[in-house]
């Protein structure tokens, strides 16, 4: 038996065996039975892109454990329950998910949950900003359908991105709720682990569902680039959460959700949610966090200097320090942009400074175009390639950009991009990918033989810089460029968000920020 258990780590992908062992272990030791399920994506409804099932890179059965370092075979948490992982899928942000993709993933999840029921608990791992064609509030729909399978005695603990949306339906059907407390999300895995720990504690202690769930809608809709916890007022606002949530008897957890700005649904707004057993404390914490958020609403500003692309390039070219980073914000693939808007690259290539090989060195990341990638592979490293790239999905702002240059690198095997090539045009080094990919780490560049630390300018399709890029920058500015995740929210055609909403209605009256009591899951359904 010991030899079998030692071999488990090497054979973690063997779902049937692992689940069988979990079931046997549960019978032997009376461990709580806990399922794991979830889907996560940010979906812009202002982008023409659509997201298909394969983009979720779904994990099934025991493979799900590999998504969580705290759930490895030797981890203490792994030994505290009989685990039943079903389906967990995480996609790069993008356009709305097709209904077919959503239904396919949901049916697989529900079928797996039916197979191994009943459960004492379920860990629900979502982002909270998924949009699905023809369906409002997909996360609310998903948890409702899960409840129809597992019933209402099972405790559900939900972890979310702070840029997710909390609908009433989602709040009612979950029992425990938490979200990230940092943006950038350096505490993502810590948050997921907290959700699991909370779930285990409530089951093992016999406390079960918290007696009270307070939800407060805060009518604010701001982009993440204005609400980073690196700077004020976001920094101080979020620093209030841990002392109030983690160190008070009677409080299980508390969260502030900024919400997701690039989708047009009634649920898209900020929120505060607190769970606990002490009604007075739950009320006080929820209302304190909501008032604190509302009181600083006018103080939020971009996490870095901003300007038009022309202004940003002028500043970068005049800078004596390098590398100078420019965020191409409007088509940020990690916020939901299509990733193939060519407007910024077109402007760069049209500038005479970059048309000479000895001009200021500039790295551009990135542009997906499978046809140009094929041509680059055919030409080979050092060969010449000519063609157009980009604007296959989002051509609203510029047509495909013409590229004629030298292939500098061809790298295969990336999970997202699949194939990456670097094309040198003048003094610009352009990363072209088979499929879209975010460039957040230094290794994303160096594995392509690019040296961002030595480049004069690095232009990345991103909003706020992720930690490695932030640490690398000598200076940084965000370009307010067009795209499906335009940072200028006033340029977006909202029709369905609730009004009044700050900042669209700057002179709106102070809203009702009193705690609203969400019924326990299973009540008043």
């Amino acid at each position: 038996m010991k030899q079998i258990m030692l071999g488990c780590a090497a054979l973690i992908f063997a779902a049937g065996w692992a689940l069988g062992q979990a079931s046997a272990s549960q019978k032997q030791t009376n461990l709580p039975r806990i399922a794991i399920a979830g889907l996560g994506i940010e979906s812009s409804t202002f982008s023409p892109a659509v997201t298909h099932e394969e983009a979720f890179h779904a994990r099934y059965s025991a493979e799900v454990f590999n998504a969580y370092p705290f759930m490895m075979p030797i981890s203490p948490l792994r030994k505290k329950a009989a685990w039943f992982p079903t389906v967990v899928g995480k996609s790069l942000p993008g356009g709305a998910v097709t209904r077919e993709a959503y239904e396919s993933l949901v049916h697989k999840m529900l079928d797996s949950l039916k197979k191994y029921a009943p459960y004492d608990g379920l860990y629900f791992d979502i982002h909270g900003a998924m949009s699905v064609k023809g369906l409002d509030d997909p996360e609310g729909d998903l948890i409702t359908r899960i409840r129809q399978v597992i019933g209402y005695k099972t405790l559900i603990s939900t972890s979310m991105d702070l840029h997710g949306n909390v609908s009433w339906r989602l709040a009612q059907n979950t029992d425990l709720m938490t979200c990230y407390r940092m943006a950038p999300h350096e505490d993502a895995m810590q948050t997921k682990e907290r959700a699991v720990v909370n779930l285990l504690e409530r089951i093992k202690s016999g406390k079960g569902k918290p007696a009270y769930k307070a939800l407060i809608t805060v009518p604010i809709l701001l982009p993440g680039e204005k609400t980073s916890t690196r700077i004020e007022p976001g920094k101080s606002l979020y620093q209030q959460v841990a002392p109030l949530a983690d160190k008070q008897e009677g409080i299980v957890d508390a969260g502030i959700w900024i919400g997701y700005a690039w989708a047009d649904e009634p649920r898209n707004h900020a929120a505060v949610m607190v769970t606990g057993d002490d009604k007075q404390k739950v009320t006080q914490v929820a209302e304190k966090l909501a008032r604190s958020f509302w009181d600083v609403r006018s103080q939020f500003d971009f996490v870095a200097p901003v300007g038009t692309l022309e202004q940003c390039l002028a500043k970068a070219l005049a800078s004596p320090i390098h590398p100078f980073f420019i965020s191409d914000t409007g088509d940020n693939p990690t916020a939901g942009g299509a990733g193939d808007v060519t407007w910024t690259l077109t402007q760069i290539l049209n500038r005479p400074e970059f048309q000479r090989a000895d001009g200021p060195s500039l790295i551009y990341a990135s542009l997906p175009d499978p046809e140009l990638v094929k041509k680059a592979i055919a030409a080979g490293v050092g060969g010449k390639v000519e063609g157009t790239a980009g604007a296959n999905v989002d051509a609203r702002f510029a047509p495909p950009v013409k590229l004629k240059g030298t292939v500098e690198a061809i790298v295969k095997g990336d999970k997202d991009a699949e194939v990456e090539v670097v094309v040198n045009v003048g003094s610009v080094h352009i990363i072209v990918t088979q499929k879209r990919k975010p460039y957040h780490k230094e290794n994303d560049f160096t594995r392509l033989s690019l040296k961002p630390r030595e480049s004069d300018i690095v232009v990345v399709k991103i909003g706020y810089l992720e930690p490695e890029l932030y640490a690398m920058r000598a200076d940084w500015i965000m370009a307010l460029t067009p795209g499906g995740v335009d940072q200028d929210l006033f340029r977006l055609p909202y029709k369905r968000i609730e009004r009044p909403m700050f900042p669209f209605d700057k002179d709106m009256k102070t809203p009702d920020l009193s705690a609203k009591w969400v019924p326990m899951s299973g009540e008043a359904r």
Side-chain angles (χ1 to χ4, degrees):
M1 185 62 171
K2 288 183 179 179
Q3 290 177 337
I4 293 173
M5 293 304 293
L6 288 171
C8 180
L11 298 173
I12 193 169
F13 56 86
W17 184 90
L19 288 172
Q21 287 297 103
S23 180
S25 174
Q26 191 272 340
K27 290 177 182 177
Q28 292 170 4
T29 63
N30 200 33
L31 293 173
R33 299 169 59 86
I34 300 180
I36 305 172
L39 296 174
I41 183 176
E42 284 180 322
S43 304
S44 171
T45 62
F46 299 112
S47 169
V50 294
T51 301
H52 299 281
E53 182 173 356
E54 60 269 20
F56 283 86
H57 300 287
R59 300 173 189 259
Y60 299 95
S61 299
E63 185 187 10
V64 168
F65 289 128
N66 296 337
Y68 310 105
F70 57 85
M71 290 294 287
M72 292 297 100
I74 61 172
S75 70
L77 278 180
R78 182 72 174 272
K79 301 172 184 178
K80 291 185 177 180
W83 300 96
F84 298 86
T86 60
V87 178
V88 172
K90 300 291 179 179
S91 171
L92 283 178
V97 180
T98 67
R99 189 64 179 264
E100 293 77 14
Y102 174 76
E103 293 295 341
S104 175
L105 288 165
V106 171
H107 282 122
K108 291 173 184 176
M109 185 183 296
L110 299 181
D111 286 345
S112 185
L113 285 169
K114 289 175 187 175
K115 187 174 181 180
Y116 298 103
Y119 309 101
D120 299 294
L122 183 144
Y123 169 46
F124 192 44
D125 182 9
I126 61 174
H127 179 287
M130 174 163 50
S131 297
V132 173
K133 293 284 188 179
L135 178 68
D136 271 2
D137 186 23
E139 288 85 357
D141 174 76
L142 176 56
I143 197 171
T144 300
R145 291 164 72 173
I146 286 174
R147 280 293 188 195
Q148 291 168 355
V149 169
I150 68 173
Y152 290 88
K153 292 182 179 179
T154 302
L155 264 69
I156 295 182
S157 181
T158 302
S159 68
M160 296 177 66
D161 190 304
L162 63 85
H163 296 123
N165 306 297
V166 184
S167 69
W168 188 266
R169 181 166 56 163
L170 174 62
Q172 182 168 355
N173 280 283
T174 193
D175 300 301
L176 305 165
M177 181 86 95
T178 193
C179 71
Y180 305 161
R181 297 169 183 174
M182 298 177 71
H185 307 315
E186 297 171 67
D187 66 331
M189 205 53 63
Q190 178 184 342
T191 301
K192 295 172 191 287
E193 184 173 3
R194 184 171 66 247
V196 173
V197 169
N198 286 345
L199 178 60
L200 283 167
E201 194 280 328
R202 298 297 294 194
I203 293 172
K204 291 197 169 188
S205 67
K207 293 178 181 178
K209 300 180 181 184
Y212 302 101
K213 295 186 290 187
L215 177 63
I216 302 177
T217 293
V218 185
I220 297 174
L221 191 61
L222 293 169
E225 284 67 26
K226 281 191 172 183
T227 51
S228 171
T229 59
R230 281 181 180 148
I231 61 171
E232 299 296 349
K235 183 177 181 179
S236 293
L237 177 65
Y238 271 87
Q239 283 177 346
Q240 295 182 49
V241 177
L244 293 172
D246 303 340
K247 298 179 180 179
Q248 285 201 78
E249 192 72 27
I251 300 292
V252 177
D253 211 307
I256 300 173
W257 282 257
I258 297 297
Y260 182 64
W262 294 291
D264 190 16
E265 285 189 40
R267 68 173 184 161
N268 289 84
H269 50 68
V272 168
M273 186 167 171
V274 181
T275 57
D277 300 311
D278 186 314
K279 186 174 185 180
Q280 183 177 2
K281 288 183 179 178
V282 169
T283 303
Q284 290 172 345
V285 171
E287 293 181 354
K288 176 178 173 56
L289 292 175
R291 285 195 304 269
S292 295
F293 193 177
W294 180 255
D295 289 345
V296 297
R297 66 193 181 283
S298 298
Q299 298 176 31
F300 287 100
D301 203 354
F302 286 110
V303 68
V306 297
T308 64
L309 179 62
E310 185 177 359
Q311 291 168 335
C312 294
L313 287 171
K315 187 172 181 180
L317 288 166
S319 176
I321 55 175
H322 309 287
F324 196 110
F325 275 77
I326 298 175
S327 294
D328 181 4
T329 63
D331 193 36
N332 174 13
T334 50
D340 78 337
V341 173
T342 61
W343 186 87
T344 296
L345 182 58
T346 300
Q347 304 301 311
I348 290 170
L349 294 177
N350 284 341
R351 293 183 67 111
E353 300 98 325
F354 301 112
Q355 293 174 358
R356 306 187 316 272
D358 62 349
S361 58
L362 185 148
I363 297 172
Y364 185 82
S366 62
L367 200 62
D369 194 285
E371 290 304 314
L372 191 83
V373 167
K374 286 182 183 178
K375 290 183 178 181
I377 292 172
V381 175
K384 302 295 182 181
V385 66
E386 182 174 357
T388 59
N392 294 308
V393 175
D394 196 344
R396 294 174 296 172
F397 310 101
V401 61
K402 294 180 180 179
L403 299 181
K404 182 179 181 181
T406 303
V407 179
E408 294 185 311
I410 301 171
V411 177
K412 300 179 180 180
D414 183 82
K415 183 188 82 168
D416 295 312
E418 295 185 358
V419 184
E420 301 160 278
V421 304
V422 179
V423 179
N424 175 219
V425 179
S427 64
V428 181
H429 307 270
I430 305 158
I431 301 173
V432 183
T433 59
Q434 184 165 304
K435 294 183 178 179
R436 64 195 186 104
K437 163 189 166 73
Y439 286 79
H440 287 178
K441 300 182 181 297
E442 186 168 2
N443 183 56
D444 291 335
F445 297 90
T446 57
R447 66 190 294 273
L448 304 177
S449 299
L450 294 170
K451 299 178 180 179
R453 292 182 183 273
E454 299 177 16
S455 183
D456 293 319
I457 304 170
V458 181
V459 181
V460 186
K461 288 187 174 182
I462 198 171
Y464 50 63
L465 293 183
E466 292 295 325
E468 285 194 24
L469 304 187
Y470 186 76
M472 194 193 313
R473 92 228 179 280
D475 205 346
W476 168 40
I477 192 168
M478 298 199 309
L480 299 180
T481 52
V485 288
D486 196 324
Q487 292 288 330
D488 186 349
L489 302 186
F490 289 88
R491 297 194 295 207
L492 298 175
Y494 292 103
K495 296 178 181 177
R496 302 184 61 223
I497 59 170
E498 294 180 350
R499 303 292 289 268
M501 181 81 70
F502 181 87
F504 305 102
D505 306 290
K506 287 189 175 181
D507 298 326
M508 63 182 289
K509 295 179 180 178
T510 300
D512 178 6
L513 298 175
S514 61
K516 307 299 185 299
W517 298 108
V518 182
M520 280 190 181
S521 59
E523 291 184 359
R525 63 180 187 272

